[in-house]
């Protein structure tokens, strides 16, 4: 007897975070960025000096870690993230974390623990949850499932702009495309809960669409379907 759930999945850089937050705000729903959780765990692993291949050691720290997420004061501010009491809001968006997160997110104990937490946070519903496996694994019974995509060229352009706005290392478009493609490949080819469009998800191809247009489309779908 829970409130509705909106699941938004898709490849890296498709605009999921921005859109999911705006949908949540417009519909007065909670918002959960599951990618931020995998990023926070990756930060903790690198910080601890554990090898990213040491699955038992990673399983151990993940089972004990405490992740907190909070909304920034302004609607556009990035969501704030803490792990074991330490704020990592900015640190988890670095290229360093981005290039290691898929290897850690592919590990069974990491996914088991984080999925359990996500299911607990979403159990009452009334929430927009964004990630790679929300519609397929975390909440396969979500009332509305969206699969957000864009061409790799478009996604690379958006990511480059994001990084520029944050004053981070300036990658060429080619490097950025390469990074996104590698991450998508790893996320789509891992053994457990790979990135997939759920059969009952609605795909929105966002090339040439503004954030407002994508947001409106999802809100309309919600009002029609939920
Ligand atoms: O969404 P974001 O780009 O922040 O996600 C970072 C990484 O976290 C993804 O590339 C993927 O490896 C992992 N992830 C995942 N399952 C999710 C969300 C993110 O494996 N539900």
């Amino acid at each position: 007897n829970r409130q509705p759930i909106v699941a938004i999945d898709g490849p890296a850089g498709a605009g999921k975070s921005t859109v999911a937050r705006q949908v949540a705000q417009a519909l007065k729903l909670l918002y959960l960025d599951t990618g931020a959780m995998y990023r926070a765990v990756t930060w903790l692993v690198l910080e601890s000096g554990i090898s990213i291949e040491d699955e038992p050691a990673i399983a151990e720290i993940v089972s004990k870690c405490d992740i907190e997420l909070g909304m920034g004061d302004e609607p556009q501010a990035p969501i704030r993230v803490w792990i074991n009491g330490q704020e990592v809001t900015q640190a988890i968006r670095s290229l360093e974390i981005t290039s290691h997160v898929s290897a850690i997110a592919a590990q069974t104990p990491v996914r088991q623990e984080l999925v359990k937490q996500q299911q607990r946070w979403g159990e009452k519903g009334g929430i927009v949850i964004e990630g790679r496996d929300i519609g397929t694994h975390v909440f396969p019974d979500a009332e509305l499932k969206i699969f957000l995509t864009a061409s790799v060229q478009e996604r690379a352009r958006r990511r480059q702009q994001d990084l520029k706005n944050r004053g981070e290392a300036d990658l060429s478009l080619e490097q950025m495309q390469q990074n996104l493609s590698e991450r998508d490949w790893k996320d789509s080819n891992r053994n457990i809960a790979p990135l997939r469009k759920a059969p009952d998800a609605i795909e929105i191809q966002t090339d040439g669409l503004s954030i407002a247009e994508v947001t409106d489309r999802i809100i309309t779908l919600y009002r029609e379907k939920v």
Side-chain angles (χ1 to χ4, degrees):
N1 203 344
R2 60 155 180 77
Q3 297 294 306
I5 291 178
V6 179
I8 302 184
D9 292 301
K16 295 187 299 295
S17 295
T18 313
V19 165
R21 276 183 69 171
Q22 296 201 358
V23 169
Q25 262 161 9
L27 296 173
K28 299 203 176 358
L29 302 174
L30 300 172
Y31 163 62
L32 178 59
D33 174 357
T34 62
M37 301 171 72
Y38 290 96
R39 286 172 180 272
V41 164
T42 302
W43 179 88
L44 188 63
V45 169
L46 296 180
E47 181 75 6
S48 318
I50 296 172
S51 156
I52 63 165
E53 277 146 39
D54 190 347
E55 292 200 20
I58 294 173
E60 169 82 12
I61 63 169
V62 171
S63 70
K64 288 197 233 137
C65 80
D66 170 37
I67 301 173
E68 275 181 86
L69 302 175
M71 289 307 234
D73 296 333
E74 291 145 44
Q76 302 303 328
I79 60 146
R80 296 181 69 186
V81 185
W82 293 262
I83 189 158
N84 295 344
Q86 178 147 3
E87 181 160 13
V88 292
T89 303
Q90 286 171 19
I92 61 167
R93 304 293 164 187
S94 71
L95 287 173
E96 165 85 353
I97 299 298
T98 303
S99 63
H100 289 103
V101 62
S102 295
I104 289 177
Q107 298 178 14
T108 305
V110 172
R111 300 203 74 79
Q112 278 174 343
E113 178 59 32
L114 295 188
V115 167
K116 196 171 73 190
Q117 293 188 15
Q118 292 155 15
Q119 289 172 335
R120 213 180 299 133
W121 279 336
E123 73 189 349
K124 297 204 172 87
I127 189 167
V128 179
I129 310 181
E130 168 226 321
R132 301 290 185 289
D133 61 338
I134 310 306
T136 51
H137 281 91
V138 183
F139 285 104
D141 60 347
E143 280 73 5
L144 178 61
K145 299 182 186 178
I146 303 292
F147 196 76
L148 218 57
T149 63
S151 66
V152 70
Q153 291 83 355
E154 175 72 20
R155 294 187 285 119
R157 257 196 303 277
R158 291 179 190 164
R159 262 300 141 91
Q160 209 183 29
Q161 194 57 51
D162 283 357
L163 283 179
K164 224 176 243 166
N165 293 344
R166 281 204 300 276
E168 277 239 9
D170 198 4
L171 293 191
S172 71
L173 266 181
E174 290 68 37
Q175 285 171 311
M176 191 56 90
Q177 281 188 28
Q178 177 81 22
N179 283 7
L180 288 173
S181 305
E182 263 171 36
R183 191 142 66 97
D184 291 343
W185 192 91
K186 287 182 198 156
D187 290 343
S188 307
N189 289 284
R190 66 181 174 223
N191 288 327
I192 39 165
L195 168 63
R196 288 268 187 291
K197 176 184 169 297
D200 53 346
I202 297 165
E203 181 162 345
I204 304 180
Q205 216 289 352
T206 66
D207 281 55
L209 295 179
S210 69
I211 289 164
E213 286 170 320
V214 179
T215 305
D216 284 350
R217 209 173 277 190
I218 297 174
I219 292 170
T220 303
L221 286 166
Y222 183 89
R223 297 206 164 117
E224 283 168 10
K225 288 189 57 154
V226 180

